Amino acid sequence: QGNTWKNVGWLNGDIEPCYIGSVAFDPQNPWVVHLGTEGALYRSQDGGNTFELKYNDGFWGALAVAPSDPDIVYSARMSDHDTVDPVIFRSLNGGVFWSPVGSLPMGTHVIRLMVKPNDGAKLLAVSGYEKLMGSAQPLRGLFVSSDGGQTWTDVHGDSTSGGMTGNPWDAAYDPAHPDTIFATTVTGSGNPDVASTWSGSTWRGTHGSGVWTQVSTHTGSIVARNRTGEVVTADVRRGGPGCSECRTW
């Protein structure tokens, strides 16, 4: 449960020294771990004690396992940690073999993937900034796919007719109501990741609708109903309170 940690290192774990970009676990078999790094994609069958190289080269910035079928795994690969050229890879056998299936628009940088809880062919992707990108300015966006990552639709929507206000920051499916997506946005001039002032909101919508309802004036990273039944947003980059919104919707 995260109370104690074991350092598996890079040599004993068969991993080259690198930046870790993403981690995902098989929801039915906790011994299976998928690991995306700056330079490779790995898979472990023994809880992270050792890893097997699955795909070489590139920056693997996001991973997601389908809750309804852990044989279906997705990952987003950029050519480097600061590039804006994501290609979506998919495995249909639990991460043993991988194939590219689609791509997001140039100018995006995927920082999150999540699969719809009851449908392994539907997933969302969040594009945004992370510290390793330096001065790069990727497009902030929220995209969904309904065909296993082959094609993608921008679902931000038009703010004048039911769409979100501001640029997407994070998003998550609601496991209690799988058709629902919670998303956060940020509003302000310049890059909000380094700006001193900004504001934002939390929104509720559905897969592919482009119509959103504002449910909170808080923003940040979001977790939907993780054990407690609450939707939580948190922004801790600036030494803030940590949890800026804890509420059940």
Side-chain angles (χ1 to χ4, degrees):
Q1 297 180 348
N3 293 317
T4 60
W5 290 82
K6 175 184 177 182
N7 183 0
V8 299
W10 61 269
L11 182 60
N12 293 333
D14 301 316
I15 304 172
E16 293 295 324
C18 58
Y19 173 80
I20 303 300
S22 52
V23 180
F25 294 85
D26 184 321
Q28 297 180 14
N29 182 0
W31 293 103
V32 175
V33 185
H34 308 281
L35 185 69
T37 75
E38 180 190 12
L41 180 64
Y42 297 90
R43 181 179 187 269
S44 173
Q45 298 185 84
D46 55 13
N49 287 304
T50 60
F51 286 87
E52 181 181 359
L53 177 66
K54 289 300 171 184
Y55 212 99
N56 202 12
D57 199 20
F59 177 76
W60 302 81
L63 275 161
V65 181
S68 61
D69 183 357
D71 281 342
I72 302 174
V73 192
Y74 297 92
S75 188
R77 177 193 178 277
M78 279 66 68
S79 58
D80 209 338
H81 66 274
D82 58 354
T83 60
V84 287
D85 53 356
V87 176
I88 304 300
F89 281 69
R90 182 181 64 193
S91 172
L92 297 177
N93 53 11
V96 177
F97 298 107
W98 293 82
S99 300
V101 292
S103 60
L104 271 74
M106 289 295 293
T108 57
H109 183 93
V110 177
I111 57 175
R112 175 152 174 150
L113 288 174
M114 190 172 188
V115 185
K116 188 176 180 181
N118 61 351
D119 189 340
K122 293 184 177 181
L123 65 159
L124 63 81
V126 178
S127 168
Y129 176 88
E130 59 183 350
K131 288 295 184 181
L132 281 178
M133 300 198 71
S135 61
Q137 296 289 324
L139 170 70
R140 283 189 178 275
L142 173 58
F143 302 85
V144 298
S145 173
S146 298
D147 56 8
Q150 297 179 68
T151 60
W152 293 85
T153 302
D154 185 338
V155 293
H156 176 277
D158 184 347
S159 61
T160 65
S161 57
M164 290 185 279
T165 299
N167 295 311
W169 183 325
D170 197 10
Y173 286 102
D174 183 348
H177 306 281
D179 290 333
T180 298
I181 296 175
F182 287 101
T184 55
T185 59
V186 62
T187 304
S189 60
N191 185 350
D193 294 277
V194 296
S196 58
T197 60
W198 48 269
S199 61
S201 301
T202 302
W203 305 81
R204 182 177 59 222
T206 58
H207 183 98
S209 71
V211 177
W212 299 87
T213 300
Q214 185 180 10
V215 294
S216 170
T217 56
H218 295 272
T219 190
S221 299
I222 190 164
V223 177
R225 307 189 195 282
N226 185 17
R227 300 168 73 180
T228 64
E230 296 175 321
V231 178
V232 178
T233 61
D235 174 34
V236 296
R237 291 175 301 104
R238 299 184 179 88
C243 177
S244 60
E245 175 77 354
C246 299
R247 176 182 171 188
T248 300
W249 281 296

